[in-house]
Amino acid sequence: MQAGKLPVARRGVISRRLSGILEPYLYVSPALVLIIAVMLMPLILGLSYAFRDIRILNPFSGGFVGMAHFQTLLTDDAFFGALANTAWWTFGSLLFQFTLGLILALLLNREFPGRRLIQALVFLPWAVPTFLSGLNWAWMFNPVVGPLPHWFTALGLMDEPFNILSDPDLAMWGPIVANIWFGIPFFAITLLAALQSIPKELYEAASIDGATTRQKFISITLPFLAPTIAITLMLRTIWIANFADLIVVMTNGGPADSTQIVASYIFTQAFRRLDFGYASAIAAVLLVLLLAYALGVIALRRAMTHADS
Amino acid sequence: MNLSGNSPTQKAIYWGSHYLMIAAFVVFALFPLYWLLKVSVTPNDILYTEGVRMWPSRTTWENYTFVLTQSNFPHYFMNSVIVAGTTAIVTTMVAAVTGYSFSRFAFRGKVIIVALMLITQMFPLVMLIAPIFKILAPLGLTDSLTGLIIVYTAFNVPFATFLMQSFFDGIPKDLEEAAMIDGNTRFQAFRRIILPLTLPGVAATLGFVFTAAWSELLFALMLVSSDAASTFPVGLLSFVSKFSVDFGQMMAAGVLALIPACAFFLLIQRYLVQGLTAGAVKG
């Protein structure tokens, strides 16, 4: 508080009122400046690139091309392949992450000796840097150093040890397995937190009334978990659909684009071909699709809550 | 809750399968990391002949000595420490004041700012790669650690803000009101009274952001072109594409990349739930 010429009492009132109005904005401003400069402005700029010819290696590029990128996109088989792969990658990963995460959360929800240690150990994959998870799993699938192909052969799943990452039909399983490994802890932690917030009295009351374990699970546990499940599934769908790191590290979208998802396709266009215009056009389409998905989920939830009441 | 049945046999069967399933999860979580460790200490000449053995007949540290003395990895490691460390500190400072204001003030536009921050958590950051490159290039911030720090700080602020807010929400308002009656300004009260009380929250936020910045790959790949500014992920990936047969060395380098992340993980483990609910979108 700066000392002014005003009488102490009035100065206090005025400056307090002024600072009362301005203070919150001062606290928020550094974050706001960062987000606007590094996220919002690039987003708008990127959307404008979608209508321009911007190739880093071509100094004459930069002009407006209208809808040309989107027309190219309509006939780009690699893009439609990437769309299908995105759906496969997202729901394949999500299904296993969620199911296994839920089982793990239920297992950890009971008190047993050594639970804290076990909890730390099973949550560890979440802390492993994603590039390392990707590389590590790529090595696990590599017959030269990894045990997995040899085990698959011993089990009769493979005629001879080979790397599934170089087989276009199987390659997507590589990043999906890595993603499951990496993502189980996330679901386990969020669901465990939700489980632990369920009042214990409910189970006791149900036991007194003679409810079986399954009845209790269906009529107490699941309804309590439902909101958490709904929100995490929706948010995770979007997050996984955008999560290109594992694919870039493990397969780079190959072989023959068989593991290319839309997010990794954007990265490939920008990073390897340095075609920022086309990359931004794909990004714009991805943004619209994700927005449509989010709105669809919200509409669905609204319809369902209306149906309930 | 009575899941385990009543008779001793039922109980034994229940807990037997309970532990069996837990063990399966532990093995699935740890085996790949164990394998990383195993290959990193296997001498090159028996790497192929003893490919699927659980532990090699001889072990060696030569992969580690190579990585630490003959390669650029110590340099990449330092770059990553600088980038992740600075990002963590700056992000936590920005997130502390923002999170505090979300927790304590009602002000015009707050809803919009919160919504903006939530949306940034959901949108595909990969679509910012090209425009951010174009913005940073003329400023001389591509191929520089400073550029990476700015980008990572902005990306992590929203999540860190919600995390810090959750810690501030747990501290009674009376505390700083009392301090303000005693003649402190609000900022003094925040700095002297409230912030010291949220030190565990500050530590957790530092840990989360450090881990996130340490792991970031795609923007580092795009923005960094020289060895001098390479972070650990970029260095490791270029090493993999150049010397893809030196598995022992790659994995030794991988183990090194794991150390700081795991150290922070153990540190923040207690706050995992809070962090994940704050940044549910982020992972």
Side-chain angles (χ1 to χ4, degrees), chain B residues 171-191:
Chain B
I171 293 175
K173 280 185 182 178
D174 317 358
L175 282 175
E176 72 251 47
E177 272 157 18
M180 281 158 73
I181 289 167
D182 288 349
N184 287 296
T185 64
R186 184 181 273 278
F187 190 72
Q188 285 167 335
F190 163 68
R191 207 165 43 99

Side-chain angles (χ1 to χ4, degrees), chain A residues 186-239:
Chain A
F186 174 84
F187 275 104
I189 294 168
T190 24
L191 293 173
L192 184 59
L195 279 172
Q196 286 175 345
S197 68
I198 303 177
K200 295 271 175 292
E201 299 79 30
L202 285 177
Y203 291 107
E204 283 154 18
S207 293
I208 293 168
D209 291 346
T212 64
T213 306
R214 177 173 306 176
Q215 282 170 336
K216 277 183 279 186
F217 183 77
I218 289 173
S219 50
I220 300 173
T221 313
L222 272 186
F224 260 95
L225 286 186
T228 312
I229 291 176
I231 190 96
T232 43
L233 276 184
M234 186 198 125
L235 295 177
R236 277 278 121 175
T237 310
I238 295 176
W239 195 85

Side-chain angles (χ1 to χ4, degrees), chain A residues 71-90:
Chain A
Q71 278 159 358
T72 319
L73 206 57
L74 279 179
T75 53
D76 184 351
D77 289 339
F79 171 70
F80 286 101
L83 265 184
N85 286 339
T86 305
W88 170 207
W89 151 257
T90 307

Side-chain angles (χ1 to χ4, degrees), chain A residues 23-25 28 31 42 49 100 107 110 126-127 129 132 136 144-145 181 186 189 193 213 236 238-239 242 249 271 283, chain B residues 3 14 18 28-29 32 35 48 101 108 122 124 127 131 134 186 208 215 217 221 254 265 273 276 280-283:
Chain A
E23 203 170 13
Y25 299 100
V28 176
Y49 289 175
L100 294 171
L107 290 171
R110 301 217 62 185
W126 177 83
L132 190 62
N136 202 170
V144 177
V145 281
W181 182 76
F186 174 84
I189 294 168
T213 306
R236 277 278 121 175
I238 295 176
W239 195 85
N242 293 324
V249 168
F271 177 64
Chain B
L3 279 169
Y14 170 78
H18 190 271
F28 181 56
W35 202 257
Y48 306 110
S101 76
R108 199 183 280 266
M122 290 218 267
M127 67 181 292
K134 283 281 271 185
R186 184 181 273 278
F208 274 103
S215 308
L217 172 69
L221 273 179
F265 173 77
V273 173
L276 283 162
V281 219
K282 192 173 182 307

Side-chain angles (χ1 to χ4, degrees), chain A residues 73-152:
Chain A
L73 206 57
L74 279 179
T75 53
D76 184 351
D77 289 339
F79 171 70
F80 286 101
L83 265 184
N85 286 339
T86 305
W88 170 207
W89 151 257
T90 307
F91 294 107
S93 305
L94 201 63
L95 177 69
F96 289 103
Q97 283 185 355
F98 170 70
T99 319
L100 294 171
L102 178 62
I103 295 173
L104 183 57
L106 289 169
L107 290 171
L108 289 174
N109 194 32
R110 301 217 62 185
E111 200 61 58
F112 59 86
R115 193 184 70 156
R116 279 190 63 84
L117 177 69
I118 297 277
Q119 190 167 319
L121 291 179
V122 290
F123 290 169
L124 194 58
W126 177 83
V128 174
T130 40
F131 65 92
L132 190 62
S133 316
L135 281 175
N136 202 170
W137 278 100
W139 293 327
M140 296 289 287
F141 284 114
N142 186 330
V144 177
V145 281
L148 294 178
H150 301 279
W151 292 350
F152 292 150

Side-chain angles (χ1 to χ4, degrees), chain A residues 19-100:
Chain A
S19 70
I21 295 169
L22 287 180
E23 203 170 13
Y25 299 100
L26 282 177
Y27 285 71
V28 176
S29 54
L32 213 54
V33 167
L34 271 168
I35 290 169
I36 290 173
V38 184
M39 299 175 88
L40 215 58
M41 265 171 44
L43 173 71
I44 294 162
L45 202 62
L47 290 175
S48 81
Y49 289 175
F51 304 95
R52 291 170 67 185
D53 172 30
I54 297 192
R55 283 166 295 163
I56 291 303
L57 294 179
N58 182 348
F60 301 109
S61 66
F64 275 86
V65 294
M67 300 299 285
H69 288 316
F70 295 99
Q71 278 159 358
T72 319
L73 206 57
L74 279 179
T75 53
D76 184 351
D77 289 339
F79 171 70
F80 286 101
L83 265 184
N85 286 339
T86 305
W88 170 207
W89 151 257
T90 307
F91 294 107
S93 305
L94 201 63
L95 177 69
F96 289 103
Q97 283 185 355
F98 170 70
T99 319
L100 294 171

